[in-house]
């Protein structure tokens, strides 16, 4: 979890932002969030410039309800519109639910560090 100021600065207002998507419940509470950015030269994630960088948050008590799938569908459409070939998701090795989520969305592992696993999704229909 991060503060609203952190989310605003590093996702919503980020210069490399392609799209941010939220999921809300019937009470208007944000229960899911997904950010898609374009990797720039020398980005802090070490992602190949021009790839997408995705980040996802789902409130734990809302997991396994299709929220993540709906968020990813919107992000995938944005990636296709923006001409991305690949999307990176870098996840902490101990975050089993996130690893399972990205596996379910079709991401495959392509690199790892001591603490993280980076997964890639090939964007079909990006026009490239």
């Amino acid at each position: 979890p991060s503060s609203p100021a952190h989310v605003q600065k590093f996702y919503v207002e980020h210069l490399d932002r392609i799209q941010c998507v939220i999921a809300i419940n019937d009470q208007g509470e944000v229960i899911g969030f997904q950010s898609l950015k374009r990797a720039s030269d020398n980005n802090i994630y070490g992602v190949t410039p021009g790839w997408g960088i995705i980040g996802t948050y789902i409130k734990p008590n809302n997991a396994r309800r299709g929220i993540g799938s709906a968020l990813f569908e919107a992000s995938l459409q944005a990636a296709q519109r923006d001409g991305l070939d690949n999307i990176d998701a870098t996840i902490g090795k101990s975050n089993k639910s996130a690893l399972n989520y990205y596996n379910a969305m079709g991401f495959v592992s392509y690199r790892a560090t001591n603490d993280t696993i980076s997964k890639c999704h090939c964007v079909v229909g990006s026009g490239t």
Side-chain angles (χ1 to χ4, degrees):
S2 295
S3 71
H6 175 85
V7 171
Q8 188 76 22
K9 180 179 179 180
F10 289 99
Y11 300 106
V12 176
E13 294 176 351
H14 197 278
L15 293 176
D16 297 324
R17 177 185 53 83
I18 294 172
Q19 177 172 281
C20 292
V21 184
I22 62 170
I24 58 171
N25 64 14
D26 292 338
Q27 292 73 41
E29 177 186 31
V30 175
I31 56 174
F33 171 82
Q34 192 162 74
S35 167
L36 180 64
K37 301 179 192 179
R38 179 179 292 277
S40 58
D41 291 333
N42 303 313
N43 64 79
I44 63 171
Y45 308 103
V47 174
T48 301
W51 282 28
I53 300 171
I54 199 166
T56 306
Y57 173 77
I58 305 292
K59 278 191 144 180
N61 60 340
N62 290 280
R64 307 204 52 83
R65 294 185 180 180
I67 296 165
S69 296
L71 291 173
F72 184 64
E73 180 58 35
S75 292
L76 186 57
Q77 288 177 14
Q80 290 169 334
R81 280 192 311 269
D82 211 61
L84 298 179
D85 292 327
N86 297 294
I87 302 172
D88 168 273
T90 298
I91 306 118
K93 283 185 176 178
S94 63
N95 191 342
K96 300 299 181 198
S97 62
L99 292 167
N100 289 336
Y101 165 73
Y102 285 108
N103 286 340
M105 296 301 105
F107 284 71
V108 295
S109 298
Y110 75 97
R111 70 177 180 185
T113 68
N114 289 336
D115 302 319
T116 64
I117 297 174
S118 293
K119 294 185 167 288
C120 175
H121 188 283
C122 179
V123 179
V124 176
S126 66
T128 58

